[in-house]
Amino acid sequence: MAWAAGLFEGEGCLSKDGDKWRLIVAMTDVDVIMHFASIYDLTVKSFNFSQPEHYKQCFTTRTGKRDLIFKIVSDFYPYLGERRREKCDEFLAWYQEKQRETSD
Protein backbone atom coordinates (compact mmCIF):
# COMPACT_ATOMS: atom_id res chain seq x y z
CA MET A 1 0.00 0.00 0.00
CA ALA A 2 2.89 2.35 0.74
CA TRP A 3 4.14 1.85 -2.84
CA ALA A 4 0.74 2.74 -4.33
CA ALA A 5 0.38 5.76 -2.04
CA GLY A 6 3.83 6.97 -3.06
CA LEU A 7 2.94 6.62 -6.73
CA PHE A 8 -0.26 8.58 -6.14
CA GLU A 9 1.69 11.22 -4.20
CA GLY A 10 4.00 11.77 -7.14
CA GLU A 11 1.83 11.07 -10.19
CA GLY A 12 -1.73 11.41 -8.94
CA CYS A 13 -4.39 14.00 -8.44
CA LEU A 14 -7.50 14.28 -6.31
CA SER A 15 -9.71 17.06 -7.58
CA LYS A 16 -13.21 18.43 -7.28
CA ASP A 17 -15.29 19.63 -10.22
CA GLY A 18 -18.57 21.13 -9.06
CA ASP A 19 -20.04 18.53 -6.73
CA LYS A 20 -18.01 15.59 -8.05
CA TRP A 21 -14.56 14.31 -7.18
CA ARG A 22 -12.04 12.48 -9.33
CA LEU A 23 -8.95 10.53 -8.42
CA ILE A 24 -6.46 10.21 -11.28
CA VAL A 25 -3.01 8.75 -11.74
CA ALA A 26 -1.22 9.41 -15.05
CA MET A 27 2.25 8.53 -16.29
CA THR A 28 4.20 7.14 -19.23
CA ASP A 29 5.15 3.79 -17.64
CA VAL A 30 2.30 1.48 -18.65
CA ASP A 31 3.47 -1.45 -16.50
CA VAL A 32 3.51 0.70 -13.39
CA ILE A 33 0.11 2.27 -14.05
CA MET A 34 -1.38 -1.15 -14.79
CA HIS A 35 -0.04 -2.53 -11.50
CA PHE A 36 -1.52 0.45 -9.65
CA ALA A 37 -4.88 0.05 -11.43
CA SER A 38 -5.02 -3.67 -10.61
CA ILE A 39 -5.01 -2.94 -6.89
CA TYR A 40 -8.43 -1.26 -7.15
CA ASP A 41 -9.76 -2.98 -10.29
CA LEU A 42 -9.49 0.20 -12.36
CA THR A 43 -9.07 0.44 -16.12
CA VAL A 44 -6.08 1.98 -17.87
CA LYS A 45 -6.44 4.22 -20.90
CA SER A 46 -3.85 5.82 -23.12
CA PHE A 47 -4.17 9.36 -24.30
CA ASN A 48 -2.36 11.53 -26.73
CA PHE A 49 -3.27 15.18 -26.76
CA SER A 50 -1.57 17.66 -29.09
CA GLN A 51 2.02 17.01 -28.20
CA PRO A 52 5.26 16.75 -30.12
CA GLU A 53 5.91 13.41 -31.80
CA HIS A 54 8.97 12.70 -29.65
CA TYR A 55 6.92 12.73 -26.43
CA LYS A 56 6.15 9.37 -24.83
CA GLN A 57 2.59 8.05 -24.78
CA CYS A 58 0.80 8.74 -21.52
CA PHE A 59 -1.45 6.31 -19.63
CA THR A 60 -4.06 7.11 -17.03
CA THR A 61 -6.32 5.41 -14.56
CA ARG A 62 -9.12 7.22 -12.79
CA THR A 63 -12.31 6.92 -10.83
CA GLY A 64 -15.16 9.21 -9.90
CA LYS A 65 -16.90 6.65 -7.68
CA ARG A 66 -17.06 8.30 -4.30
CA ASP A 67 -17.05 5.08 -2.26
CA LEU A 68 -13.97 3.86 -4.14
CA ILE A 69 -12.25 7.21 -3.71
CA PHE A 70 -13.04 6.97 0.01
CA LYS A 71 -11.43 3.51 0.15
CA ILE A 72 -8.33 4.67 -1.72
CA VAL A 73 -7.97 7.83 0.37
CA SER A 74 -8.39 5.79 3.56
CA ASP A 75 -5.74 3.30 2.42
CA PHE A 76 -3.25 5.98 1.37
CA TYR A 77 -3.77 8.61 4.08
CA PRO A 78 -1.11 7.40 6.55
CA TYR A 79 1.54 7.50 3.81
CA LEU A 80 0.79 10.91 2.30
CA GLY A 81 2.52 14.22 2.76
CA GLU A 82 0.89 17.33 4.14
CA ARG A 83 -0.36 18.79 0.86
CA ARG A 84 -2.07 15.59 -0.27
CA ARG A 85 -3.54 15.05 3.19
CA GLU A 86 -5.12 18.51 3.05
CA LYS A 87 -6.86 17.60 -0.21
CA CYS A 88 -7.91 14.24 1.26
CA ASP A 89 -9.32 16.03 4.32
CA GLU A 90 -11.38 18.21 1.99
CA PHE A 91 -12.68 15.10 0.21
CA LEU A 92 -13.41 13.31 3.50
CA ALA A 93 -15.46 16.25 4.80
CA TRP A 94 -17.42 16.29 1.52
CA TYR A 95 -17.87 12.51 1.65
CA GLN A 96 -19.16 12.63 5.22
CA GLU A 97 -21.68 15.32 4.23
CA LYS A 98 -22.88 13.18 1.29
CA GLN A 99 -23.26 10.19 3.61
CA ARG A 100 -25.45 12.28 5.94
CA GLU A 101 -27.57 13.49 3.01
CA THR A 102 -28.25 9.95 1.79
CA SER A 103 -29.10 8.67 5.26
CA ASP A 104 -31.72 11.40 5.88
Side-chain angles (χ1 to χ4, degrees):
M1 201 51 57
W3 172 85
L7 185 67
F8 172 72
E9 180 93 43
E11 304 293 336
C13 173
L14 179 62
S15 63
K16 186 176 181 189
D17 184 15
D19 196 38
K20 296 187 181 207
W21 283 83
R22 291 179 300 184
L23 186 140
I24 302 167
V25 177
M27 64 185 318
T28 60
D29 297 319
V30 67
D31 60 323
V32 176
I33 199 83
M34 289 182 75
H35 180 76
F36 179 91
S38 72
I39 296 169
Y40 293 102
D41 198 27
L42 299 169
T43 59
V44 174
K45 295 183 180 180
S46 67
F47 65 92
N48 244 347
F49 48 90
S50 299
Q51 58 189 15
E53 196 174 300
H54 66 279
Y55 279 29
K56 291 181 180 179
Q57 187 172 14
C58 196
F59 299 90
T60 184
T61 188
R62 65 179 63 210
T63 186
K65 297 177 182 177
R66 69 180 179 196
D67 290 338
L68 182 53
I69 295 172
F70 175 77
K71 165 107 175 84
I72 295 169
V73 164
S74 298
D75 288 348
F76 291 178
Y77 196 89
Y79 305 104
L80 299 176
E82 185 178 328
R83 187 170 65 90
R84 290 277 190 243
R85 280 188 179 190
E86 286 176 11
K87 186 57 83 169
C88 289
D89 290 341
E90 188 180 330
F91 168 80
L92 292 169
W94 174 87
Y95 182 84
Q96 189 175 38
E97 182 61 33
K98 290 296 175 188
Q99 293 297 97
R100 274 194 291 260
E101 288 174 9
T102 58
S103 68
D104 291 341

